Amino acid sequence: MPVMAPAPSPQAIWQTSLIGGALSPGCGGDLAGPWRLLLLGDGSPTRHLEALTGLPLEIELIAMGLQQPGDGAMPPPEVEELAEPLIRRQVWLRCGPDTLAWAESWWNHDQAQEHLQRRDQPIWRSLTSNRAELFREVDGLARVEAPWLAQRFGREGPFWSRHYRFFRGGQPLTVIREVFSPDLERWLGPAVVL
């Protein structure tokens, strides 16, 4: 599939910072347990999606290139910690016929060249292929919308989203935003406890 221009970042209709990883009631605090683990845990979503579906995760590259002014990116504030020039990458995450997530990431150009040589591979696999240690810190939780997300997921938003950083050697390596399809309720149950 040809690589296209990047989509604008989804619009956040609600968001919160996760200082200390805690959520107060009314600020996403009503998330059901399985969704809390997916959104707030520091585990690999690649592995989680594969474990849930029993199918290998496939990456569909949408766009990857230098961050350009006016390209619709609304990066999390943590992106400012990365040295410029920045590469922005967007992908769909699929297991079999199901598109279960969308993700965008920001990288320093040189770090992207080093760590993203196989662009069809999930970031987690690229970063851990040589068994190098990583630390993931979840920084924010949001509910987002975008017409192109609704079209691909086949459901209206808003959608649950999170963003986090990978660190290596105490230094930020990349910032990643993920948006999850409501179809995950098939395996996780309803996202919100009523």
Side-chain angles (χ1 to χ4, degrees), residues 45-50 53-60 91-96 98 100-101 120-123 125:
T46 300
R47 287 186 177 170
H48 294 325
L49 295 176
E50 288 178 338
T53 65
L55 298 169
L57 185 118
E58 297 177 30
I59 295 296
E60 182 182 322
V91 298
W92 293 107
L93 285 71
R94 292 189 335 256
C95 288
D98 299 311
L100 299 177
D120 62 336
Q121 188 174 47
I123 287 174
R125 286 192 194 124

Side-chain angles (χ1 to χ4, degrees), residues 19-127:
I19 298 171
L23 280 180
S24 60
C27 291
D30 297 329
L31 275 171
W35 282 88
R36 273 184 182 264
L37 288 173
L38 177 68
L39 293 167
L40 303 176
D42 60 4
S44 164
T46 300
R47 287 186 177 170
H48 294 325
L49 295 176
E50 288 178 338
L52 286 171
T53 65
L55 298 169
L57 185 118
E58 297 177 30
I59 295 296
E60 182 182 322
L61 181 64
I62 301 167
M64 182 172 170
L66 284 172
Q67 174 81 45
Q68 300 294 326
D71 69 358
M74 293 183 283
E78 292 81 7
V79 170
E80 293 178 12
E81 298 173 8
L82 303 174
E84 294 186 359
L86 296 178
I87 297 289
R88 181 173 169 221
R89 177 180 188 248
Q90 293 182 333
V91 298
W92 293 107
L93 285 71
R94 292 189 335 256
C95 288
D98 299 311
T99 299
L100 299 177
W102 171 88
E104 65 183 336
S105 57
W106 289 265
W107 299 77
N108 162 271
H109 178 271
D110 294 339
Q111 294 287 344
Q113 296 302 317
E114 179 181 346
H115 297 292
L116 298 177
Q117 294 177 7
R118 291 207 38 216
R119 295 177 180 193
D120 62 336
Q121 188 174 47
I123 287 174
W124 179 251
R125 286 192 194 124
S126 295
L127 292 176

Side-chain angles (χ1 to χ4, degrees), residues 3 15 23 33 35 37 51 56 72 76 86 89 111 138 143 152-153 155 169-170 175 183:
V3 178
Q15 59 188 352
L23 280 180
W35 282 88
L37 288 173
L86 296 178
R89 177 180 188 248
Q111 294 287 344
V138 180
R143 298 280 278 159
R152 181 68 181 249
F153 289 155
R155 305 261 298 271
V175 178
D183 282 350

